[in-house]
């Protein structure tokens, strides 16, 4: 089995995503890159019920290499991000607060300095039908400039990382930030950190870790 360890890791992250409520049912998808190969979750399958053999492998050009099940319909988006970012893993969720922000906002303002761990202000990619080249291009544009997260209008969120663990933790952080913003709006207008305030945080050493070369 090609990428056995990577496929096993996808199953572990899938169970954690479902357990924390970042995905429901068969929503969301995950992938991990190893060289020119990408292991990705299958389409239409609940992430907490996958076995390693369920996760197909494609190459970076999108050609199906191994596995019996079809790759996720969002595989083009994953491949687009591997093409234009140094990511080694990608997590796409349909989390509640992320979807709320993605349905109402054009970006998630920096209301907490931990926004810097995701590369700064989180952009909301313009809406396009799931699984289409248009959505892949919109997400790629929203992730430009060293971003580690984006929201997709009326859809969900996507995060990248140096490995699956980091991509998963970035997804959890994105949902936390969205949750803080949505809850803050119920009692008042959230105060947004200024560029100067964020710069001072960076001076104190808070910044996303460097990606390794793929």
């Amino acid at each position: 089995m090609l990428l056995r360890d990577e496929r096993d890791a996808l199953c572990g992250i899938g169970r954690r995503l479902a357990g924390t409520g970042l995905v429901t049912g068969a929503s969301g998808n995950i992938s991990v890159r190893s060289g020119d190969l990408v292991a990705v979750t299958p389409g239409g399958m609940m992430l907490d019920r996958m076995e390693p053999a369920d996760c197909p492998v494609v190459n970076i050009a999108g050609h199906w290499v191994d596995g019996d099940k079809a790759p996720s319909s969002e595989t083009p988006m994953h491949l687009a991000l591997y093409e234009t970012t140094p990511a080694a893993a990608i997590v796409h969720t349909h989390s509640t607060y992320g979807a709320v922000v993605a349905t109402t906002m054009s970006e998630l303002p920096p209301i907490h300095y931990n926004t810097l761990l995701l590369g700064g202000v989180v952009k909301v990619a313009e809406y396009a039908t799931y699984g289409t080249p248009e959505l892949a291009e919109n997400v790629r544009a929203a992730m430009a400039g060293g971003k580690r997260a984006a929201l997709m209008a009326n859809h969900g969120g996507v995060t990248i990382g140096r490995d699956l663990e980091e991509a998963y933790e970035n997804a959890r952080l994105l949902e936390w930030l969205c949750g803080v913003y949505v809850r803050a709006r119920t009692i008042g207008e959230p105060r947004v950190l200024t560029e100067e305030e964020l710069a001072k945080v960076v001076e104190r050493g808070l910044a996303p870790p460097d990606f390794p070369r793929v």
Side-chain angles (χ1 to χ4, degrees):
M1 182 190 297
L2 286 175
L3 304 188
R4 176 181 291 274
D5 291 343
E6 288 82 357
R7 290 155 103 168
D8 183 64
L10 287 179
C11 297
I13 294 295
R15 290 189 291 272
R16 291 165 69 184
L17 286 171
T20 53
L22 292 174
V23 299
T24 57
S27 68
N29 35 77
I30 324 165
S31 69
V32 57
R33 180 177 181 179
S34 178
D36 289 333
L37 297 178
V38 176
V40 63
T41 50
M45 188 171 189
M46 294 186 179
L47 298 188
D48 58 348
R49 300 183 184 179
M50 298 183 305
E51 298 295 335
D54 294 320
C55 299
V57 175
V58 299
N59 63 23
I60 206 66
H63 300 299
W64 200 343
V65 175
D66 192 27
D68 296 328
K69 289 184 168 53
S72 165
S73 60
E74 296 288 15
T75 299
M77 178 185 70
H78 289 246
L79 296 179
L81 290 176
Y82 286 127
E83 181 182 1
T84 55
T85 74
I90 298 170
V91 170
H92 164 43
T93 66
H94 287 186
S95 58
T96 300
Y97 288 114
V100 170
V101 173
T103 303
T104 57
M105 308 285 292
S106 61
E107 64 181 31
L108 176 65
I111 58 171
H112 193 281
Y113 57 80
N114 275 343
T115 301
L116 292 168
L117 295 174
L118 299 180
V121 173
V122 178
K123 302 291 186 181
V124 177
E126 293 184 11
Y127 180 79
T129 305
Y130 77 90
T132 61
E134 290 79 13
L135 179 60
E137 183 55 39
N138 292 349
V139 172
R140 180 158 52 182
M143 295 278 278
K147 304 290 186 182
R148 291 165 182 257
L151 293 163
M152 293 172 277
N154 303 86
H155 190 158
V158 59
T159 55
I160 64 175
R162 296 173 298 174
D163 52 33
L164 276 170
E165 185 69 27
E166 185 173 85
Y168 167 74
E169 290 300 333
N170 285 343
R172 291 212 309 156
L173 176 57
L174 176 60
E175 178 68 354
W176 182 81
L177 290 168
C178 289
V180 169
Y181 182 81
V182 171
R183 289 167 177 164
R185 287 294 299 268
T186 66
I187 59 174
E189 185 63 32
R191 195 179 86 79
V192 176
L193 296 175
T194 66
E195 290 187 9
E196 180 181 1
E197 288 168 331
L198 291 171
K200 289 181 178 179
V201 175
V202 172
E203 289 174 4
R204 293 188 64 84
L206 183 67
D210 291 333
F211 279 102
R213 295 292 179 182
V214 176

